[in-house]
Amino acid sequence: MFLTCRFSKALAGVTVLFLSAGAYSDPLNQAIDTDLATNKAAVDSQKNIDRLSDQTQKMLEEYRTASRHADTLQTYNKHLKDLLASQQQEKASLERQLDQIEDTQREIVPLILRMLDSLEQFIALDVPFLPEERQERLNQLKDMVNRADVTPAEKFRRIIEAFQVENEYGNTIEAYRADLELDGSVSSVDFLRLGRVALYFQRLDGSETGFWNKETQSWETLSSSYRNAIRDGLRIARKEAAPDLLTLPLPAPEASQ
């Protein structure tokens, strides 16, 4: 009976001890669980922060890109507006020119015809050098004026070129060979042109030398004393000799009207 009581007491003490240990372990486990939960929450929170930060950075880059794109579009749109304004001005100018082109064509055609007549008269009254070449140029201009496939601008340009060629003759000397009718017979002679001031000829054998007399509109024979001078002038014009002083007869200047 005594042993049973002592065993019962001992068992009660062990039970109390286990109960006490259990009582002490519950707050610790709770603290550990709380700490783990806090750490997990912190990790999750940091992940959310990182995710939000990445999203924010991405949105910021997108905003900056959109802002730059908007600035570029504004600059380009301004350029297009300025370009459009310039094109409108150019269009208005072209429309005015188109309105005037018919009047211009009506005015330029009579001008071309008058210039062509003046050129023909000028050649007819001029010293008769290179007659075939100059007449051929004149004939080509006459044919061109009546062609429908040539614009008035091209006709005007070609006539101006012909005037320029004629003008250049007055600033140059030239030697060329051609046929000349003398005393009823045609002979091959050398011509010496001094600008438009004088035109001389000399037979190939040097037997006869002469010049064009503007007053009588005819060829006249010169004294044989001018034969060497004309020969030297021909060599100078052909660049076969250096420029030198020549003694040649010149027509008297025409009196001004």
Side-chain angles (χ1 to χ4, degrees):
M1 185 66 177
F2 178 75
L3 290 175
T4 302
C5 292
R6 293 189 60 182
F7 179 78
S8 299
K9 290 181 180 179
L11 182 60
V14 172
T15 301
V16 172
L17 180 61
F18 276 113
L19 290 175
S20 299
Y24 282 108
S25 63
D26 287 340
L28 179 60
N29 290 333
Q30 291 177 359
I32 292 173
D33 293 339
T34 301
D35 187 56
L36 291 175
T38 301
N39 290 337
K40 184 177 182 302
V43 170
D44 293 339
S45 178
Q46 186 62 45
K47 288 181 179 180
N48 289 331
I49 292 173
D50 293 341
R51 180 175 56 79
L52 292 175
S53 177
D54 292 341
Q55 291 178 352
T56 302
Q57 187 65 31
K58 182 179 179 181
M59 293 174 63
L60 179 61
E61 290 298 327
E62 291 176 351
Y63 169 77
R64 289 174 177 173
T65 301
S67 179
R68 288 193 298 267
H69 186 60
D71 292 340
T72 301
L73 287 178
Q74 288 179 354
T75 303
Y76 183 65
N77 287 338
K78 183 179 182 303
H79 171 70
L80 289 180
K81 289 181 180 179
D82 295 339
L83 184 62
L84 180 60
S86 176
Q87 290 177 341
Q88 292 293 343
Q89 294 177 357
E90 184 67 18
K91 178 183 177 182
S93 176
L94 290 175
E95 289 176 349
R96 289 193 299 269
Q97 294 179 29
L98 289 175
D99 293 337
Q100 298 171 358
I101 192 169
E102 185 175 352
D103 295 336
T104 302
Q105 288 182 347
R106 285 199 299 264
E107 293 174 0
I108 197 172
V109 171
L111 175 62
I112 289 174
L113 296 176
R114 289 195 301 269
M115 292 176 66
L116 187 58
D117 289 340
S118 298
L119 182 62
E120 184 175 14
Q121 294 177 14
F122 179 79
I123 293 176
L125 297 175
D126 197 18
V127 177
F129 60 89
L130 301 173
E132 294 180 357
E133 176 181 322
R134 298 167 78 190
Q135 187 61 44
E136 177 63 22
R137 185 184 302 112
L138 186 61
N139 291 339
Q140 290 178 358
L141 290 175
K142 288 181 177 180
D143 293 339
M144 178 199 64
V145 167
N146 295 322
R147 287 174 53 184
D149 60 334
V150 181
T151 64
E154 178 64 14
K155 295 175 182 178
F156 184 77
R157 185 188 68 81
R158 292 279 298 278
I159 292 180
I160 290 296
E161 285 182 350
F163 272 98
Q164 291 174 341
V165 170
E166 291 291 334
N167 182 63
E168 285 297 319
Y169 287 141
N171 302 320
T172 58
I173 65 172
E174 182 182 18
Y176 64 95
R177 183 167 296 179
D179 293 335
L180 178 64
E181 183 177 351
L182 294 171
D183 300 329
S185 63
V186 177
S187 302
S188 182
V189 300
D190 287 327
F191 287 96
L192 174 63
R193 177 181 61 81
L194 302 181
R196 281 194 164 84
V197 176
L199 180 63
Y200 306 93
F201 75 88
Q202 187 174 79
R203 291 186 183 273
L204 301 184
D205 59 2
S207 61
E208 186 178 5
T209 301
F211 76 105
W212 174 258
N213 190 323
K214 290 185 178 180
E215 293 183 359
T216 63
Q217 294 290 298
S218 62
W219 295 100
E220 293 186 8
T221 302
L222 288 171
S223 169
S224 59
S225 61
Y226 293 107
R227 180 177 58 189
N228 291 338
I230 296 296
R231 182 194 61 195
D232 293 340
L234 289 168
R235 295 180 65 235
I236 292 173
R238 293 175 179 139
K239 302 185 184 305
E240 297 173 354
D244 198 359
L245 183 64
L246 300 174
T247 303
L248 294 171
L250 294 177
E254 299 178 358
S256 60
Q257 299 296 326

